[in-house]
């Protein structure tokens, strides 16, 4: 029986792989649901933050924060949100491609680039291509806390406040559905004020405690942080979705392979039996 | 509804509470403040402490915040609570740590930013994924 045993071992090994990919698929599916939930929970904060900042933009402010001022662009900052782990299809690659396109556009205008890498994959990639990584935040786990990101973000925000960078972007995946994720580049700084709300359009200002400058500084920083945090939670939901799809297709592939090998094995087995019978018949005839 | 005020308490990670109250007390940076309905627009930073909401039913709700921001706008009080203790020097330490890690990661960096190479690499990877998908589609039909 030619190769019968080998084929059987191979089938066995593929079956084991399939078990693993199936388990990973199911784990990713349940993690995705939880990540989506977290993404949803983080939304009210960002929404509230956005409306407060919009109110602030309409108030006849005595103090204009540097985050709202446009400057000539000599150096830009990119915060790139990627995953910590692989096996999630083309998720990171698509994101990096988008980011690299944007980076090369700035580079062609002789603008320098600083990068903050969130996620091990991004850190590895941008390090390899020789980007100037100013800060990083990796190994955040499935439920990232804002605290884990503060340090990495502060470097960029301080750089903007001190005029070392003139634009700040965040690159992350947008969660469209479990099957589809879209890389997206968002401008964080300077902040574009939303369209003024008509009914609030009058001359008024907040009472500030302790004073406008300190309050607005703290608010702006938190606003940007909340946007980045939201990007990170969304990217995790994307990671789980992408992994689920990738693992599903891996399990399917394993299934096809097993079917094909089973066919080959059966044929080989049948051929061996036929041959044996022929030999016996031949032997009997010779006697 | 002139004698109640809407209160939303949210943190970066979740929505903590939302409801109506007749009076809100919050630990503002300059001392505790009480906010009644029809309060003037106010924006303040919060110290770590307790937020108390008095409800029309006479019940009181307590929430602990470790700092954050409070906005009063019309009939809505919004508390943007921090989930962690924030202090300038703590943030500074976290920032330095993030920078240090980045520098460490860059210690064995090779030369200048090579975007062209990166682009080529990514194109190749994307092409590989596409090819695998195509192969799979073929295999599936066979």
């Amino acid at each position: 029986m030619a190769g019968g045993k080998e084929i059987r071992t191979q089938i066995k090994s593929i079956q084991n792989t399939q078990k693993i990919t199936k388990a990973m698929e199911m784990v990713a599916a349940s993690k995705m649901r939880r990540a989506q939930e977290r993404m949803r929970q983080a939304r009210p904060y960002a929404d509230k933050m956005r409306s407060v900042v919009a109110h602030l933009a309409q108030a006849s402010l005595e103090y204009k924060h540097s985050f709202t001022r446009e400057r000539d662009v000599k150096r830009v900052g990119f915060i790139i949100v990627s995953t910590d782990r692989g096996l999630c299809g083309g998720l990171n690659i698509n994101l990096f491609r988008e980011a690299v396109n944007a980076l090369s556009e700035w580079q062609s205008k002789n603008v320098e680039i600083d990068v903050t890498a969130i996620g091990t994959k991004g850190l590895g990639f941008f390090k390899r291509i020789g980007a100037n990584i100013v800060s990083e935040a990796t190994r955040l786990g499935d439920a990232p806390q804002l605290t884990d990101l503060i340090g990495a973000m502060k470097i960029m925000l301080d750089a903007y406040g001190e005029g070392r960078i003139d634009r700040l972007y965040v690159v992350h995946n947008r969660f469209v559905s479990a099957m589809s994720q879209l890389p997206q580049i968002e401008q964080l700084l300077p902040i574009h004020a939303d369209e003024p709300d008509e009914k609030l359009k009058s001359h008024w200002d907040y009472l500030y405690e302790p004073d406008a400058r300190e309050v607005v500084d703290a608010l702006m920083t938190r606003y940007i942080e909340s946007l980045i945090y939201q990007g990170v939670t969304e990217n995790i939901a994307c990671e789980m979705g992408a992994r689920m799809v990738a693992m599903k297709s891996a399990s399917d592939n394993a299934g096809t392979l097993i079917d094909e090998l089973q066919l080959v094995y059966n044929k080989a087995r049948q051929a061996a039996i036929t041959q044996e019978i022929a030999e016996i018949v031949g032997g009997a005839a010779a006697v | 509804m002139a004698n109640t005020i809407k209160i939303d308490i949210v943190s970066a990670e979740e929505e903590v509470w939302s409801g109506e109250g007749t009076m809100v007390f919050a630990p503002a940076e300059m001392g505790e403040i009480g906010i009644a309905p029809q309060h003037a627009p106010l924006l303040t930073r919060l110290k770590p402490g307790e937020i108390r909401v008095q409800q029309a039913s006479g019940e009181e709700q307590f929430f602990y915040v470790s700092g954050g921001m409070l906005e009063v706008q019309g009939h809505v009080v919004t508390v943007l609570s921090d989930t962690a203790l924030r202090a300038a020097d703590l943030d500074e330490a976290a920032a330095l740590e993030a920078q240090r890690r980045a520098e460490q990661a860059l210690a064995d960096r090779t030369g200048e930013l090579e975007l062209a190479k990166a682009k080529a690499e990514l194109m190749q990877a994307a092409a590989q994924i596409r090819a695998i998908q195509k192969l799979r589609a073929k295999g599936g039909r066979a």
Side-chain angles (χ1 to χ4, degrees):
Chain A
M1 217 164 98
K5 194 160 177 3
E6 283 88 339
I7 295 173
R8 242 187 356 233
T9 340
Q10 211 177 351
I11 290 177
K12 199 89 208 143
S13 119
I14 294 171
Q15 270 169 345
N16 286 337
T17 311
Q18 194 187 27
K19 266 183 215 155
I20 295 169
T21 55
K22 253 197 191 133
M24 283 182 81
E25 179 196 338
M26 282 187 279
V27 169
S30 96
K31 277 189 178 172
M32 185 188 72
R33 271 194 295 277
R34 262 177 289 157
Q36 258 180 298
E37 181 63 17
R38 264 193 295 277
M39 188 176 105
R40 208 177 51 74
Q41 280 177 338
R43 207 164 275 159
Y45 184 82
D47 287 347
K48 290 280 184 297
M49 209 44 139
R50 201 168 294 131
S51 78
V52 173
V53 169
H55 288 162
L56 201 63
Q58 290 151 32
S60 5
L61 209 51
E62 66 214 63
Y63 160 61
K64 208 163 165 51
H65 195 268
S66 64
F67 282 4
T68 56
R69 236 172 285 147
E70 290 273 352
R71 290 196 293 245
D72 280 350
V73 183
K74 291 191 208 69
R75 197 175 186 97
V76 292
F78 273 84
I79 296 179
I80 291 159
V81 184
S82 62
T83 68
D84 276 331
R85 275 167 293 173
L87 289 182
C88 47
L91 187 77
N92 285 322
I93 289 163
N94 289 337
L95 185 86
F96 294 160
R97 207 147 48 128
E98 199 78 7
V100 165
N101 281 343
L103 293 186
S104 53
E105 210 168 287
W106 283 113
Q107 202 184 34
S108 68
K109 290 186 214 155
N110 282 324
V111 173
E112 304 220 47
I113 300 151
D114 282 346
V115 170
T116 286
I118 297 178
T120 332
K121 294 283 160 192
L123 181 66
F125 177 77
F126 284 95
K127 180 181 142 193
R128 203 148 43 79
I129 66 166
N132 182 31
I133 299 174
V134 291
S135 63
E136 59 109 296
T138 48
R139 285 183 212 93
L140 299 171
D142 297 330
Q145 302 285 310
L146 189 66
T147 352
D148 304 329
L149 300 170
I150 288 172
M153 297 190 291
K154 189 173 162 61
I155 298 279
M156 276 297 186
L157 295 181
D158 283 354
Y160 189 88
E162 288 157 20
R164 272 179 284 128
I165 56 171
D166 309 295
R167 284 267 173 97
L168 181 61
Y169 293 91
V170 64
V171 190
H172 69 90
N173 280 296
R174 201 159 61 81
F175 189 88
V176 183
S177 71
M179 314 292 277
S180 138
Q181 301 85 24
L182 270 183
Q184 159 169 299
I185 300 176
E186 252 181 290
Q187 181 175 331
L188 294 176
L189 294 173
I191 295 168
H192 290 305
D194 284 347
E195 286 294 300
D197 191 345
E198 283 304 318
K199 65 177 190 281
L200 273 173
K201 218 175 173 186
S202 54
H203 287 288
W204 63 275
D205 197 356
Y206 284 108
L207 301 167
Y208 297 98
E209 234 181 275
D211 68 59
R213 179 181 295 262
E214 276 182 48
V215 173
V216 173
D217 279 357
L219 186 74
M220 289 298 181
T221 311
R222 277 171 181 63
Y223 175 59
I224 299 301
E225 285 174 357
S226 81
L227 288 181
I228 300 171
Y229 178 74
Q230 226 195 352
V232 172
T233 51
E234 195 161 351
N235 200 66
I236 286 176
C238 289
E239 175 189 352
M240 296 308 166
R243 179 165 303 130
M244 189 181 84
V245 172
M247 288 302 114
K248 184 171 171 24
S249 80
S251 310
D252 290 352
N253 286 348
T256 339
L257 262 182
I258 291 169
D259 285 351
E260 277 166 18
L261 282 176
Q262 191 71 52
L263 210 64
V264 174
Y265 172 74
N266 287 347
K267 270 187 190 152
R269 182 170 159 272
Q270 218 162 28
I273 291 170
T274 315
Q275 199 188 347
E276 235 170 87
I277 291 174
E279 273 163 15
I280 291 168
V281 171
V287 173
Chain B
M1 296 290 279
N3 52 359
T4 63
I5 189 162
K6 191 174 176 344
I7 301 119
D8 290 317
I9 303 177
V10 292
S11 76
E13 276 122 28
E14 61 185 341
E15 185 162 19
V16 181
W17 190 76
S18 172
E20 302 260 328
T22 50
M23 187 87 183
V24 186
F25 298 93
E29 210 169 47
M30 312 281 285
E32 193 178 20
I33 52 167
I35 298 150
Q38 316 252 10
H39 195 286
L42 167 79
L43 201 54
T44 180
R45 272 202 313 218
L46 297 176
K47 281 190 305 195
E50 194 178 58
I51 293 184
R52 260 188 309 143
V53 180
Q54 281 179 358
Q55 289 178 299
S57 59
E59 274 178 72
E60 276 202 341
Q61 300 274 353
F62 295 91
F63 304 96
Y64 174 76
V65 287
S66 51
M69 310 284 301
L70 180 136
E71 187 215 20
V72 185
Q73 171 71 207
H75 284 294
V76 186
V77 178
T78 310
V79 178
L80 302 159
S81 138
D82 288 341
T83 37
L85 272 174
R86 298 287 295 265
D89 46 345
L90 276 180
D91 285 9
E92 193 61 45
L96 287 176
E97 174 63 21
Q99 194 172 26
R100 192 190 57 73
R101 282 199 312 261
E103 274 162 12
Q104 208 171 32
L106 283 186
D108 53 339
R109 182 160 77 129
T110 51
E112 277 304 290
L113 179 57
E114 293 172 81
L115 287 174
K117 203 177 105 195
K119 239 186 215 175
E121 240 174 70
L122 286 172
M123 290 286 263
Q124 200 182 1
Q128 273 169 356
I129 288 175
R130 264 200 307 277
I132 289 168
Q133 274 164 355
K134 254 187 214 148
L135 266 178
R136 199 187 146 235
K138 235 193 237 160
R141 254 179 268 117

